[in-house]
Amino acid sequence: MTWGMEDPSGRAREQLSVQDEAQWGGPPRRRRSRESLWVLLFIVLSLGAIWITLQREDQAAADDPRLAVQRGEVVGLAGLSMARPQNLRPALARMDAMTPARDRVLSMRVSPALAQVTLVTPAGQEYFLEARAGDDEVRRREFAETSRTATARIADIAPADVRRAVATVASRSGLGPAAFEYLVLSDPGPDQAWFVRFEAPTVAQRDWTGRGRGGQMQPTNAPPRSPARPSAPSAPASGNPSVREQLRILECVQEAEGDIDAIQRCVG
């Protein structure tokens, strides 16, 4: 190179650099910084969208009544419990709509999560209709032939009586409605029979029976009430069981040990 003379190769490199900046809007390092910013923004937006989706799914799961039943959140006389008249009444209406006119009710079993009505056809065929809490579907299950007869229809079942029976036991036992496990109602009508079971620490608080509208319930191991003064024996009034009959029912229910069919035979 000759001193004082311009280097042609250096001049060429400078022109290429100017062209590169004009074409791409800046030096390569600045371009890479912008690309990184866009990638980071995309990641943040993606994570935000995923979080919103998960929150909506969690909320939908929390509001799904069927999942609430599976989680064991339906208890006592609260919320979706089938022992509440506002939940039991529409379920019974759906059952009644699909029941032949000549079929009759033998019994009904109600727990917080399920209402099950046992019916019999004129030909002596037993079957169940089931409705679950939070579910509008009614399922029919065939059972077996029976010689038992009945006269009540589904429309004769009073949902308010179910709630009253549970509330009575909850109050008298001191356990509260949340301890309610299930009940069995036989022969719906003015003299209907009840068997109510609560989750209790002692057997004395667990099983209760009664008749009528559910306001008169007593533990299965309670002795019958004796009259205030001796009186001449008389035949029991129509529709009211004698003391001996009450004792027979109580002993029979205790021996049934929660077997639904056996309990129905006891109080039937």
Side-chain angles (χ1 to χ4, degrees):
M1 177 184 300
T2 305
W3 292 101
M5 297 182 64
E6 185 177 4
D7 183 5
S9 61
R11 182 64 176 173
R13 285 195 299 271
E14 184 179 350
Q15 291 178 352
L16 288 175
S17 177
V18 171
Q19 292 175 2
D20 184 66
E21 291 185 10
Q23 180 178 358
W24 298 104
R29 181 176 298 176
R30 183 178 301 175
R31 186 171 66 252
R32 286 195 298 269
S33 299
R34 291 180 177 177
E35 291 175 353
S36 300
L37 181 61
W38 283 112
V39 171
L40 179 60
L41 181 60
F42 174 77
I43 293 174
V44 171
L45 292 176
S46 298
L47 291 175
I50 293 173
W51 182 83
I52 292 174
T53 301
L54 292 176
Q55 290 295 313
R56 289 178 177 175
E57 291 179 353
D58 290 343
Q59 186 62 40
D63 296 338
D64 191 332
R66 291 171 295 184
L67 294 179
V69 173
Q70 294 176 8
R71 291 191 297 265
E73 298 175 357
V74 180
V75 297
L77 292 171
L80 297 171
S81 173
M82 296 301 287
R84 301 183 70 193
Q86 53 264 56
N87 298 327
L88 181 58
R89 189 175 293 109
L92 292 176
R94 291 191 294 270
M95 293 181 186
D96 195 27
M98 60 185 295
T99 301
R102 298 180 62 192
D103 291 1
R104 295 294 183 262
V105 176
L106 290 171
S107 63
M108 178 179 68
R109 185 184 190 276
V110 177
S111 69
L114 176 71
Q116 183 185 74
V117 177
T118 304
L119 298 107
V120 61
T121 68
Q125 184 69 29
E126 264 186 60
Y127 65 94
F128 301 118
L129 293 180
E130 294 181 349
R132 297 187 178 275
D135 191 349
D136 293 338
E137 182 180 0
V138 174
R139 299 172 180 85
R140 172 170 173 152
R141 302 180 186 274
E142 301 298 331
F143 187 53
E145 292 185 359
T146 181
S147 59
R148 294 191 294 170
T149 59
T151 58
R153 298 199 59 189
I154 291 180
D156 297 323
I157 299 174
D161 292 349
V162 173
R163 185 189 186 284
R164 187 179 299 110
V166 175
T168 299
V169 175
S171 176
R172 291 197 58 191
S173 67
L175 296 171
F180 169 59
E181 189 173 341
Y182 70 87
L183 65 78
V184 176
L185 168 66
S186 298
D187 299 325
D191 195 39
Q192 58 199 359
W194 299 90
F195 173 82
V196 183
R197 170 161 290 184
F198 269 49
E199 295 180 1
T202 63
V203 176
Q205 295 175 297
R206 187 181 63 185
D207 297 337
W208 296 68
T209 58
R211 283 189 176 273
R213 295 302 183 185
Q216 301 295 325
M217 306 294 294
Q218 62 180 356
T220 56
N221 62 344
R225 296 180 180 179
S226 58
R229 56 184 179 181
S231 58
S234 59
S238 176
N240 296 320
S242 65
V243 172
R244 180 175 297 177
E245 177 66 11
Q246 290 180 5
L247 282 174
R248 183 196 68 78
I249 293 175
L250 296 179
E251 292 175 357
C252 182
V253 168
Q254 287 179 331
E255 294 175 356
E257 296 183 348
D259 184 280
I260 299 303
D261 292 330
I263 292 171
Q264 291 174 354
R265 289 193 292 271
C266 292
V267 298

